[in-house]
């Protein structure tokens, strides 16, 4: 049974979202403020977090930032803000997806399922092709870990999915539309800056390996081992 942590200070919204997740067989933990959310996260094994931005005690940005120091658990941000820059800030801090208020609970549930399903795909028993290694970047799928020149580097759920997708299609140009469909799995209503932000985060963490993610102007990206 997967455990969802819902962090929302509006009780009605929190209860509605909780009911939808419970109806699908998920276990649900609830928090009405940021500090309570961090305590619950430390005390329980959580599979996905639904995290509001505007919270008492500690805001969603700060909660996301602290969780990302130790975990790649999928995070969906809830925001009432319409400024695209606020959404991009969430991605820069490590959020995997966002839902704008007012939102449809079935849509929130569908996005959560998508993240959980993509994460569980790599939980299969180990076998020879359960890892990829290219020029010092080694990805191990069952543990969802990435070693760069022998050093463990933490990637968010979405960053891991993008990196492995590009590596598995080495030398092939992947359009932004293909990335969106593969990673998010729904019709995207924003602009390309969301994908660009995740790619920028990836390159930062890859360090001197960053040049292997090549930008194809006005098209997308490709992973090139000889770049």
């Amino acid at each position: 049974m997967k455990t969802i942590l819902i962090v929302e200070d509006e009780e009605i919204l929190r209860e509605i979202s909780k009911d939808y997740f419970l109806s699908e067989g998920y276990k649900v933990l609830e928090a009405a403020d940021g500090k309570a959310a961090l305590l619950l996260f430390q005390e329980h094994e959580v599979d996905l977090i639904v995290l509001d931005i505007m919270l008492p005690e500690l805001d969603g940005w700060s909660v996301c930032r602290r969780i990302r120091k130790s975990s790649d658990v999928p995070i969906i941000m809830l925001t009432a803000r319409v400024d695209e820059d606020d959404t991009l800030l969430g991605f820069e801090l490590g959020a995997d997806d966002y839902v704008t208020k007012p939102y449809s609970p079935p849509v929130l549930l569908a996005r959560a399922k998508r993240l959980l399903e993509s994460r569980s795909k790599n939980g299969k028993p180990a076998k020879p092709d359960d890892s990829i290694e290219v020029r010092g970047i080694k990805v191990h799928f069952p543990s969802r870990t990435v070693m760069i020149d022998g050093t463990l580097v933490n990637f968010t759920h979405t960053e891991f999915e993008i990196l492995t997708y590009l590596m598995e299609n080495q030398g092939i140009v992947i359009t932004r539309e293909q990335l969106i469909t593969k990673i998010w799995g729904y019709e995207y209503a924003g602009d390309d800056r969301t994908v660009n932000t995740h790619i920028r985060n990836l390159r930062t963490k890859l360090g001197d390996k960053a040049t292997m993610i090549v930008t194809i102007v006005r098209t997308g990206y490709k992973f090139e081992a000889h770049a």
Side-chain angles (χ1 to χ4, degrees):
M1 181 184 296
K2 300 293 186 181
T3 299
I4 311 298
L5 172 58
I6 300 176
V7 189
E8 168 62 74
D9 62 326
E10 295 183 51
E11 185 176 359
I12 293 177
L13 288 177
R14 192 172 68 247
E15 288 300 316
I16 292 173
S17 298
K18 173 186 175 181
D19 288 344
Y20 270 86
F21 281 104
L22 288 175
S23 69
E24 292 293 320
Y26 295 102
K27 178 181 177 181
V28 177
L29 302 173
E30 302 175 69
D33 64 70
K35 287 185 176 180
L38 289 176
L39 285 174
L40 283 172
F41 182 73
Q42 292 167 2
E43 295 170 355
H44 299 270
E45 185 173 339
V46 175
D47 297 290
L48 182 141
I49 300 173
V50 176
L51 178 62
D52 191 22
I53 292 177
M54 304 303 291
L55 294 169
E57 301 294 337
L58 196 67
D59 64 32
W61 306 129
S62 300
V63 173
C64 183
R65 184 183 293 110
R66 294 189 187 188
I67 287 174
R68 278 293 172 255
K69 290 180 178 180
S70 62
S71 173
D72 69 342
V73 61
I75 297 176
I76 299 177
M77 302 289 282
L78 300 177
T79 175
R81 305 179 185 223
V82 295
D83 190 340
E84 187 79 12
D85 289 336
D86 288 323
T87 301
L88 293 173
L89 174 59
F91 285 134
E92 288 173 352
L93 292 176
D96 295 287
D97 200 353
Y98 76 95
V99 174
T100 304
K101 294 182 176 180
Y103 61 86
S104 164
V107 169
L108 173 62
L109 180 62
R111 298 204 181 171
K113 282 184 176 181
R114 173 71 182 185
L115 284 171
L116 289 169
E117 287 170 1
S118 67
R119 188 176 180 85
S120 65
K121 283 177 185 175
N122 296 317
K124 52 188 181 301
K127 56 184 181 181
D129 61 352
D130 270 345
S131 64
I132 299 175
E133 185 167 7
V134 180
R135 282 186 55 196
I137 303 175
K138 184 173 183 178
V139 174
H140 186 244
F141 289 104
S143 62
R144 294 182 66 85
T145 55
V146 180
M147 303 287 288
I148 299 178
D149 290 333
T151 300
L152 180 66
V153 178
N154 292 321
F155 290 84
T156 69
H157 171 82
T158 298
E159 290 165 358
F160 182 90
E161 292 296 313
I162 293 173
L163 175 62
T164 56
Y165 185 42
L166 291 173
M167 289 180 70
E168 287 174 324
N169 292 278
Q170 186 178 159
I172 299 172
V173 176
I174 304 296
T175 67
R176 289 180 176 84
E177 291 75 17
Q178 287 176 304
L179 275 174
I180 289 167
T181 299
K182 172 68 176 180
I183 306 304
W184 285 274
Y186 58 87
E187 187 176 354
Y188 181 63
D191 60 32
D192 288 343
R193 291 193 297 169
T194 297
V195 176
N196 296 345
T197 298
H198 284 295
I199 292 293
R200 183 169 66 248
N201 292 345
L202 260 180
R203 284 172 168 157
T204 297
K205 293 181 179 181
L206 288 172
D208 61 6
K209 312 291 187 185
T211 56
M212 286 190 273
I213 298 180
V214 180
T215 299
I216 309 301
V217 179
R218 293 190 294 277
T219 303
Y221 304 92
K222 71 174 177 177
F223 189 90
E224 182 56 71
H226 303 293

